[in-house]
Every structure is written in structure tokens, then in C-alpha cells.
Amino acid sequence: MIGATRDWKAALQKQQSAEVSEKERQRGFRLHNANIPARPLEPCLYLVATPIGNLGDITLRALETIAAADVLACEDTRVTRVLLDRYGIVNRPIAYHEHNAAEAGPRLLAALDGGKSVALVSDAGTPLVSDPGYRLAQQAVEAGYRVVPVPGPSAPLAALVGSGLPSDAFLFAGFLPGKDKAKRDRLAELANIPATLIFFESPHRIAATLTAAAEVLGEDRRAAVCRELTKAFEEFRRGTLGELRTAYDEGGNVKGEIVLVVGPPEARPQPEAADIDALLRALARDLPMGKAATEAAHRTGLARKALYDRLLELKDSDEG
């Protein structure tokens, strides 16, 4: 009986060893007809960029990291599974998104604390760019864990380089507010920044956003609507904000993910202080102070806040 027990334990250990070996063997990816083994990873948090449309845009380092990670976290397991199946990766993804971050985040940090490697991917593009991964990365940094970016596809950069607009200085501003007033206020804040502006936008809001941008930033400002980047129906529409507003007002139903790129403002000669004061006083006679400052900013290219503050000074001086 004792001998049988020993045989059973030996067989169990052999089976467990075989299962571990099989698991290690499966840590790899398929590229065309070749199976590529993935090397072990250092225990830390990896932020892995994934394709924004065309699955062929994945990098070799990203594939190896995703395949070798002890824990693979993603926004939507169904989306990530498509990528895994394409490259023959058997790693099982777990969900980490804005609705479960409070629960999933501590579990991922616990995995790091246990000496495991954790890879975080977004549904498309680079993690932390307009997705909840920022919270996890921030917590990992604060806890003293190493955070390693694995760069790759990025919708803002793809749109920027394809737009034909200046790329020496640019600002990614994410999504604009949905409500019209908040949207216009945000555009006014960004109006005079000497850089190309990049926004994410949804297809059902692009027409309203172009209307607001044309009215706040100026109809002659150069821009590009970049739609379905890297996908079969990729499209770049370039022109002035006024031209693009007209095109999308008349364009009917718009589909696909959109990046709006707006060129920097043209350099304007700086008006004399006396001329600015005269303009502010003239505008304030017919407009509320906030709108007067906004209109003065459009005409002069100066910062709205500075003009508003100057208008308050002029008002106090005139009343005194």
C-alpha cells in the first residue's frame, strides 16, 4: 500500500511537472508559420501599446510581453482575445476598466507584490491615453514598482503625422466636453496656444464640434478630420475649419472613430497697450465682460484671462 502511494505521488509530481513545462512551452506567439518562444519577464508593470485598427501594426516586443506576462489585464477581454487569437497567444486576459478599477486595481498590485509580471493593454493604442490605466500606473509608481512602457501604435500621433499640419509642437487635449458652452469655453482656453491641437471625437458629435471650433478658433484655421485610422476605410479630410464644418454639415451619417487635428494660430503683430484698452472699452459697451474678453482674444491673439483681468482694471479705474 505504501509503495502504491509513493507511485501515485510520483505520477502526480510528474504530471504537474509536465503541465508546468507545457505552460512554459506555450508562452510564446505565432508569426506567420513560425512559433516564437517568449522569454521570461522581469516582475513589473508593462504598459503595452496595441493596434488601433490594423492588427499588423503590433510590435514584436509587444507580442513577447503579452505572451510572457504572468497577468494580462485589458479593458475588454473580447477585444483583446481577437489580438491573442491572431498571434496564437494562449495567455488569459482579465478585465481592468473604469467600472471595476476599484476592485481589479488592488488585485493587480497584489500580483506585483507577489513578484509577478503584469501587462496592461488598452482596447486600441497606447495605455493611459484617455483610458483608466493612468490610475493603475500611478498607484504602481507610488507603491515603488517599476513601470515599463512598451511603445507602439498611437491614434494622436498617427493623425498628427497624416494631417499635414505642423508637428514641431503639439498638444493632445483628449475629448472636448459634450455640452456646447463647456466645449466653446475649452476651445477658447486653447485658442492661442502656439501648437497643433489634437482631439478625440465621436462621429455623432463631429459636426457640432467643427461648428464650435470654426466660430471660436476662426474659420480660416487649418485642420484635418482623421477617421478610421489604419483601417480599410481610413480617411483624411483636410482644409480650413470653415470648409470642414460645411462638409460635415452636409455629409450625412458619419461612422468610425475620429481624431480632429487643428493647426496652430497664425502669428499676429502685437497691438499697442493703448489700442488694447480702447478695444476692450469698446467691446464692453455692448457685451458682458466675459464675452468682451473672449472677442478681444479672437481679434488680438492675446490670452483671454489676461484681457479679462485688464478689463477689470479698466472698469475699476473708470469707476474710481
Side-chain angles (χ1 to χ4, degrees):
M1 183 67 180
I2 294 176
T5 301
R6 287 174 179 171
D7 291 343
W8 178 81
K9 287 183 177 179
L12 179 60
Q13 290 174 349
K14 184 176 180 181
Q15 179 183 355
Q16 290 174 338
S17 177
E19 289 174 352
V20 171
S21 297
E22 176 64 14
K23 183 177 181 181
E24 292 299 324
R25 187 186 69 79
Q26 291 178 340
R27 287 191 175 220
F29 57 94
R30 185 177 63 249
L31 195 61
H32 301 300
N33 294 323
N35 292 316
I36 314 296
R39 294 165 293 183
L41 291 174
E42 174 190 349
C44 59
L45 175 61
Y46 296 86
L47 307 175
V48 187
T50 56
I52 59 177
N54 189 323
L55 293 183
D57 290 337
I58 192 75
T59 69
L60 293 177
R61 185 184 175 202
L63 289 173
E64 185 173 42
T65 303
I66 293 171
D70 295 317
V71 181
L72 175 60
C74 63
E75 288 184 81
D76 189 327
T77 57
R78 296 166 298 180
V79 173
T80 298
R81 176 55 59 191
V82 173
L83 178 66
L84 300 183
D85 291 344
R86 164 72 179 270
Y87 291 100
I89 297 174
V90 298
N91 211 341
R92 182 180 179 182
I94 62 173
Y96 174 82
H97 47 70
E98 61 180 343
H99 302 297
N100 77 342
E103 298 176 0
R107 291 200 295 269
L108 295 175
L109 293 174
L112 290 171
D113 190 57
K116 296 184 179 297
S117 57
V118 177
L120 174 68
V121 303
S122 65
D123 282 351
T126 301
L128 278 63
V129 179
S130 287
D131 78 24
Y134 168 75
R135 187 185 312 176
L136 178 64
Q138 184 182 46
Q139 292 170 339
V141 169
E142 291 174 350
Y145 300 116
R146 187 177 174 212
V147 176
V148 176
V150 181
S154 169
L157 292 180
L160 175 65
V161 299
S163 68
L165 296 168
S167 58
D168 55 332
F170 58 90
L171 170 68
F172 173 65
F175 283 94
L176 288 165
K179 294 185 177 181
D180 187 64
K181 183 181 184 306
K183 179 181 298 184
R184 290 170 183 268
D185 288 345
R186 178 59 174 154
L187 286 168
E189 292 174 357
L190 302 172
N192 297 311
I193 293 177
T196 295
L197 306 176
I198 306 173
F199 305 97
F200 284 159
E201 193 51 276
S202 62
H204 68 277
R205 299 195 325 182
I206 185 61
T209 293
L210 287 169
T211 295
E215 294 176 2
V216 174
L217 304 179
E219 292 196 354
D220 294 332
R221 194 149 162 179
R222 305 295 300 177
V225 175
C226 314
R227 190 177 63 84
E228 291 291 83
L229 292 170
T230 78
K231 299 178 183 178
F233 298 101
E234 179 181 82
E235 177 185 62
F236 288 87
R237 281 196 179 185
R238 306 174 182 89
T240 65
L241 283 171
E243 292 168 344
L244 291 171
R245 174 182 62 182
T246 301
Y248 280 88
D249 277 346
E250 300 172 352
N253 188 31
V254 181
K255 297 181 180 180
E257 297 177 342
I258 292 173
V259 182
L260 172 62
V261 185
V262 181
E266 292 185 5
R268 303 177 185 177
Q270 295 298 311
E272 297 291 335
D275 295 333
I276 295 173
D277 290 350
L279 174 63
L280 287 171
R281 284 191 171 100
L283 290 171
R285 284 197 291 268
D286 300 318
L287 297 171
M289 289 183 60
K291 291 186 177 180
T294 299
E295 179 61 26
H298 294 166
R299 296 189 189 185
T300 64
L302 299 176
R304 178 187 180 280
K305 185 178 185 307
L307 292 168
Y308 185 82
D309 291 343
R310 178 56 181 163
L311 190 52
L312 287 175
E313 294 175 1
L314 292 173
K315 181 181 179 183
D316 292 340
S317 174
D318 293 343
E319 291 177 352

